[in-house]
Amino acid sequence: MLDLKKLIDGMTVEEKIGQLAQFNANVFSGSDADITGPLVKNGLTGDDLYRIGSLLNFKDSKEMNELQKRHLEGDRNKIPMVFMMDVIHGYRTIFPIPLALGGSFDTELVEECTRMSAVEASSAGVQVTFTPMVDYVRDARWGRVMETCGEEPILNGIMGAAQVKAFHGEDMSKFGGLATCVKHYAAYGGAEAGRDYNQVELSEHILREFYLPAYKACIDAGVDMLMPSFNVLNGVPAVANSWLMKKVLREEWGFEGVVISDYDAVGELITHGIAADKKEAAKYAFKNGCDIEMCSNGYIKHLKEMIEEGIFTEEQLDAVVLKILELKKRLGLFEDPYKGASPETEEKTCLTAENRALVRKAANECAVLLKNDGVLPFSKEHKKIALIGPFADNHNIIGFWSCCGKNEESVTVKQGVQSKLPDVEIKVVKGCSDKWNEIDKSRFDEAVKAAREADIVILCLGEPQNYSGEGNCRTDLDLPGVQNELAEKVIGANSNTAVLLFTGRPLAISKLDSIAPAILNMWFPGTEGGNAAADLLFGDANPSGKITMTFPKSVGQCPIYYNHTNTGRPISKQRDEMHNPYASNYIDCGNLPLYSFGHGLSYSNFVYEGMTLSKKEMNIDGEIKVTVTVYNDSDIAGKETVQLYMRDLVASTARPVQQLIAFEKITLGPKERKTVEFAVTEPMLRFWNSENEFVSEKGEFTLSVGYADNMYYTERFSLK
Ligand code: GLC
């Protein structure tokens, strides 16, 4: 039986500290003799080769096996390295970006896709994934909104917990089981002005109400690791923030897992102006419970010296080493450092027809029908189709953070439509540059001609996938370049036009929305995006996705979100588009968004026939049953996410005008009626008050069914 404490007792201080260091695999990819280049750049020596505890961003199973073998031959303690990577929305077969996946409101689908990606990643040698990313967001200018499930903390937590469970699988120590790392703790998504890595200033009760719950949900689900964020939070960068790292994470939440810094975040304490040098940066990070330092060398270079100086004790170091070795043990690495990863396993595990079918289904479930004047679904009888726009025949639709997925392995819209309708004549015209910000309109005439001559037009617009993701923030959320003008010309030439939208964020597409007969938001749908688009456009799939982040009318409204407070001077919906003096509104734009949280249409016609409450009063240990009846008044089967919202009418702090407290996705056949039942209990009414207590307060509440800007029924009840 492996005795980890005994193993640690036999290690030198340098070997112990090596377990706390993680570097890019390319630092070691040269030969043993190659200690120039990345090794030296990282201040490492040849000896370090055999001390480093973990690597990230390696290429594949071949490289992992080679590096692990060489390491074990050189490490006298025979401690396997652990290999980590960002498996965010697929490993090689890519499913829709998380901002889309959350909108499926389907935890089983999320688990199925995540499980598939875990097996693919495991075949390639990935043993830990830096997932789930559950950062709460309210500002679509921030590029990493694509990586999260949006502006509802409960939903982010549910989807994050589902991913933790799915990555672990039945047995994390076996092939297909990955350890998980929740990130970016905390409030990285609250970056001022929506600019990545910018500072975050939030009150404690807002942090606790909106920004922290999803991380806690993942910890309760058994996440193995946690990654502090790059940002300053209320004056102190997360990795050195003792309120976050010790008071909340360790003392309140009792998290005992491994904490790993983000990429060079420890080194960046110097840039933030918190540390004078690497030694001080390492001191702050280690003191605040950062166990592994990713891609900076403060621990390797200075931790031993700080132990010798008595700043830290070797017992403190041993406790961290033990946590890291326990993680490796849970992963089964001491028994099998390779866990079945091999090129042959990769070959038969990745990008299979079954995996493609799954991500196609996911893309169908995540797409959001924003608008439809009746032009969709298209008939399959048409003979001439014009595919127009920069995404008409474009492989770049798998989104940022697509790990080892390859754009060229994706199915384009043109390929998807042609495959569904092999005999139809398709004319593809880009119409404008996919250099995106060029204002070249020279191909408009060709696009208009194609539109005029076609029976139907599929107009494929959006923002490129490198306009979102890490470091990719925007100050303008409209369609880039001349796409709006192109749309005006094309729709003017043929009103039988549907827009396919490709985006990693909510876009302020008011101009497009004012002229387009239909807009189907595909987000970045992944490897099977083109086939899913064809399924949805021609009615072989019925859209059921909802948006989980508000689409603004104008970027000037950002941050804009559904769970806002009322202010003391709200304006009515009816007066939204006019300026109301001395009220909370704008002179040049209404307050209402273009599309609100929870919006998403269907080809079916869902009629909410009623909502009843089992009683109108509840005491603290009581329960109110809410029954909602939905009827599908159409001949098309479809899925609908029934959403239940709550409002606390009077409390010690101003409460949101709406809060999602429950949801259920149901399937309704043609002319079918179903009732959905929710149970509302007192804990669902609790909030963080201004005294930072998590409480419910007696008084009047409402329950509503519908979605943020469009409630079908609202009923009051009292908490006694
Ligand atoms: C990046 C990201 C983080 C990722 C890490 C390793 O900078 O912020 O989400 O896990 O580096 O790739």
Side-chain angles (χ1 to χ4, degrees), residues 56 86 130 144 183-184 227 230 262-263 294 401 470:
L56 82 155
D86 298 279
F130 299 122
R144 298 190 77 164
K183 67 188 184 183
H184 305 81
M227 183 187 293
F230 287 117
D262 204 336
Y263 202 107
M294 184 196 288
W401 287 118
E470 183 169 357

Side-chain angles (χ1 to χ4, degrees), residues 233 298 550 588:
L233 175 63
T550 301
D588 54 1

Side-chain angles (χ1 to χ4, degrees), residues 121-191:
S122 194
S123 77
V126 183
Q127 296 153 353
V128 177
T129 177
F130 299 122
T131 323
M133 189 276 210
V134 292
D135 297 330
Y136 180 75
V137 289
R138 289 178 159 175
D139 194 326
R141 293 174 292 179
W142 192 53
R144 298 190 77 164
V145 298
M146 53 71 57
E147 207 177 334
T148 171
C149 288
E151 66 192 49
E152 175 37 61
I154 293 175
L155 185 67
N156 288 2
I158 288 169
M159 294 306 176
Q163 290 177 71
V164 169
K165 177 184 163 195
F167 273 119
H168 283 168
E170 292 305 313
D171 180 348
M172 193 165 77
S173 69
K174 297 287 183 290
F175 175 82
L178 270 67
T180 52
C181 176
V182 63
K183 67 188 184 183
H184 305 81
Y185 178 73
Y188 181 31

Side-chain angles (χ1 to χ4, degrees), residues 630-698:
V630 185
Y631 174 61
N632 177 5
D633 187 13
S634 80
D635 300 327
I636 304 171
K639 294 179 182 176
E640 171 67 342
T641 298
V642 181
Q643 304 162 48
L644 182 67
Y645 292 82
M646 175 275 287
R647 182 176 183 178
D648 187 346
L649 295 175
V650 178
S652 58
T653 58
R655 307 296 304 129
V657 294
Q658 290 298 348
Q659 282 180 272
L660 183 73
I661 54 170
F663 60 85
E664 183 175 339
K665 189 165 193 176
I666 59 174
T667 300
L668 284 170
K671 304 298 183 189
E672 186 180 8
R673 178 176 285 105
K674 273 186 183 172
T675 59
V676 175
E677 190 170 278
F678 298 108
V680 176
T681 56
E682 179 269 334
M684 296 160 83
L685 312 178
R686 293 179 191 167
F687 67 101
W688 285 91
N689 66 16
S690 53
E691 306 308 312
N692 298 317
E693 299 151 339
F694 189 51
V695 295
S696 62
E697 294 176 356
K698 293 180 174 32

Side-chain angles (χ1 to χ4, degrees), residues 498-559:
V499 172
L500 274 185
L501 188 67
F502 292 87
T503 182
R505 59 159 52 86
L507 293 177
I509 46 172
S510 301
K511 292 190 199 86
L512 177 68
D513 184 69
S514 66
I515 59 172
I519 303 174
L520 179 61
N521 174 20
M522 296 301 294
W523 297 109
F524 283 114
T527 307
E528 283 290 315
N531 278 329
D535 293 342
L536 292 156
L537 287 166
F538 292 94
D540 289 339
N542 184 356
S544 64
K546 306 288 186 185
I547 56 175
T548 60
M549 190 175 183
T550 301
F551 274 58
K553 281 198 187 94
S554 156
V555 67
Q557 293 177 305
C558 290

Side-chain angles (χ1 to χ4, degrees), residues 234-249:
N234 297 335
V236 182
V239 75
N241 190 310
S242 57
W243 182 79
L244 267 184
M245 301 291 286
K246 299 179 87 166
K247 182 176 184 305
V248 176
L249 181 63

